[in-house]
Amino acid sequence: MLIDIKYYLQDEFQLDLVPIQSGVYFNLYEENAEFFKETWDFRTYNQTQLYIQAGFPLARSDFYSNYFSENAKAFAIVEQRKVNGEIIRVVTDSSHDGCLGLVFERYFEYKRTSSSLEIEEVEEVKEDIPEIVEVAILETTDDILYGIDPYDLRRITLFHGLIAFASSATASDLQKAMEMLNTPLLPGRNHYQLIFAAALIEGLNPHQNLGPRQVLKFWSDDKEENYEDSFFNQFMKLVDSGVTPTHVEGHAVLHGTNIFDKWKALEIFFEFQAYDFQDVEFGEHGWQAAAPLEPRKNQILDELSLLRPLDFEEALERFVSY
C-alpha cells in the first residue's frame, strides 16, 4: 500500500511530509492530510475506513515542494514511473539527501514496530539507482506524466466549451450539445466530449438548468474524487466570481452578466497570472525580456490555440485523442 511508503520514509529519515503520486494526484495520508487541511483548508476524506486522506494534482507539486523548503519542513516527493510496463515509485525531491533516488516497487510493504524497522522481503527498497529513473523517463510514451496531464486536459476542455467555443457557437451547436447530454452512453464517446458539451451549454445559458452542472459534477467526482481542487469546485469558483445573476436591489432590478471572465478562468483552472502574458519587464538594468513561460503553461496555450478554429464536430474528434 502507498501508505507503507509514507511510514517507511518518515520513520527512516524523520520526515514531516511525504506526498505520494497515484495517477494524476499526489496522495496525502493521516497527519499529512490534516496538515494540508489546517494550512490550506483542504477537504479530507476516509476512502478505505482505515486512514484519512487528502490530495493535490500533479501540476501543484512544485508549489508545495517550494513551500516545504521555505518553511523548513522535512519532506520527500514520491513520483510514479513506468519501467518495462511496471509501475514503480521514486523519491525525486527531498530535504534529506539520503532518500533521493530510493525506488519502491509496486508491492512494497512495511510493518512498523516500536523498536526497529521491519520490511517485507517480498519486495526491496533500492537505493541510488539513477539509471532506473532514466529508463523510466525514456519509457513513458503512454504515461500520464508526459505530454499534457489529464488534470489539465479536463480543464482545457472545460475552458474551451465554457468560454472560447461559447463565444461564437451557433444554435445548431447548442442543439448538438444538448443531444449529447441526452444520449451520454453512445459508443465512442469519452468524458472529455461530455465535459465540453456540458460546458458549452452552461457557457451559453448560465443558471438555466441543472443538467450540465450535474454532468460536470459527475465527471469531476469520477475522475478527481472529492479533492479540493476538483474541476467542478474550480468551475463553481468561476461561477461565483464571474457570473452575476439578475437580482433586485431596493426597487430596481439589476440585470447580471452571462459572460464568464476569460482571464479569471485562466487563473483558476491553470494558475495563469498577468505576468505570464508580458513580453517585457523592468529589470535591474532597465527594460528586458520577461522570463519565458513554463513548459506546462506553454502546452496549455498551444492546445487552446489548436482548438480555437475547430467547429463542433472537429472539436469532438480532437477530444477523442485525449
Side-chain angles (χ1 to χ4, degrees):
M1 297 176 69
L2 297 185
I3 197 169
D4 293 328
I5 298 175
K6 167 195 176 292
Y7 285 142
Y8 171 75
L9 289 172
Q10 285 188 314
D11 288 350
E12 181 73 5
F13 301 100
Q14 290 76 56
L15 303 178
D16 300 315
L17 297 157
V18 183
I20 303 171
Q21 186 191 349
S22 178
V24 296
Y25 279 87
F26 281 93
N27 286 354
L28 303 155
Y29 299 103
E30 298 292 359
E31 76 282 359
N32 288 193
E34 293 291 349
F35 173 82
F36 271 66
K37 180 179 180 180
E38 293 171 7
T39 308
W40 290 286
D41 197 29
F42 271 40
R43 183 182 298 121
T44 58
Y45 61 97
N46 194 332
Q47 189 175 38
T48 65
Q49 306 302 315
L50 296 176
Y51 41 77
I52 296 170
Q53 287 184 243
F56 60 85
L58 297 186
R60 295 286 282 167
S61 61
D62 287 345
F63 171 85
Y64 291 117
S65 63
N66 289 337
Y67 175 88
F68 301 154
S69 297
E70 292 167 1
N71 290 272
K73 296 292 183 183
F75 73 95
I77 302 292
V78 183
E79 294 189 7
Q80 180 175 305
R81 294 286 189 267
K82 185 182 290 184
V83 178
N84 298 325
E86 292 295 323
I87 296 295
I88 62 170
R89 286 179 171 82
V90 184
V91 179
T92 57
D93 189 13
S94 178
S95 59
H96 194 302
D97 291 342
C99 65
L100 280 173
L102 280 179
V103 175
F104 297 88
E105 298 192 12
R106 188 166 188 169
Y107 299 105
F108 170 77
E109 294 181 13
Y110 168 62
K111 290 184 179 179
R112 307 186 86 186
T113 65
S114 58
S115 59
S116 63
L117 299 178
E118 181 180 344
I119 303 175
E120 291 288 323
E121 294 183 358
V122 62
E123 297 291 347
E124 62 178 336
V125 180
K126 299 179 180 179
E127 299 190 40
D128 302 324
I129 314 180
E131 64 270 20
I132 291 292
V133 180
E134 291 170 7
V135 170
I137 292 173
L138 291 172
E139 297 188 2
T140 51
T141 55
D142 61 343
D143 194 275
I144 58 173
L145 291 175
Y146 300 91
I148 303 179
D149 194 313
Y151 171 90
D152 285 328
L153 288 176
R154 283 187 282 275
R155 285 150 184 80
I156 287 170
T157 307
L158 179 62
F159 180 94
H160 184 63
L162 195 65
I163 296 172
F165 195 89
S167 66
S168 59
T170 66
S172 174
D173 294 327
L174 177 60
Q175 183 62 34
K176 291 175 183 177
M178 294 176 68
E179 289 174 359
M180 282 186 64
L181 296 197
N182 289 333
T183 56
L185 300 180
L186 288 181
R189 190 164 288 168
N190 66 23
H191 72 280
Y192 296 108
Q193 295 172 322
L194 295 172
I195 290 171
F196 167 66
L200 175 58
I201 297 170
E202 181 68 24
L204 293 173
N205 299 296
H207 309 296
Q208 294 302 306
N209 60 71
L210 292 177
R213 293 190 182 184
Q214 289 174 336
V215 171
L216 295 177
K217 182 68 164 60
F218 173 85
W219 286 111
S220 180
D221 290 347
D222 182 76
K223 299 298 180 180
E224 301 182 6
E225 299 182 1
N226 55 353
Y227 289 122
E228 194 67 25
D229 301 19
S230 72
F231 76 79
F232 184 78
N233 286 347
Q234 291 179 334
F235 163 71
M236 291 307 299
K237 183 177 180 180
L238 179 65
V239 169
D240 292 341
S241 67
V243 178
T244 306
T246 299
H247 61 287
V248 177
E249 284 189 11
H251 298 289
V253 177
L254 301 181
H255 293 280
T257 174
N258 284 344
I259 300 174
F260 289 97
D261 187 317
K262 168 185 174 181
W263 303 108
K264 191 66 176 178
L266 288 171
E267 176 188 342
I268 292 173
F269 295 162
F270 310 110
E271 300 167 321
F272 277 100
Q273 303 296 326
Y275 178 81
D276 293 325
F277 299 97
Q278 289 182 199
D279 293 324
V280 296
E281 63 178 340
F282 196 79
E284 186 177 348
H285 304 291
W287 289 102
Q288 61 187 29
L293 199 60
E294 64 180 82
R296 169 183 170 252
K297 290 181 178 179
N298 262 326
Q299 287 180 312
I300 290 167
L301 291 181
D302 287 346
E303 184 64 21
L304 289 173
S305 296
L306 186 151
L307 287 169
R308 192 174 299 121
L310 304 184
D311 63 23
F312 189 88
E313 298 299 335
E314 290 170 337
L316 292 185
E317 186 63 28
R318 176 65 181 170
F319 298 140
V320 171
S321 67
Y322 282 10

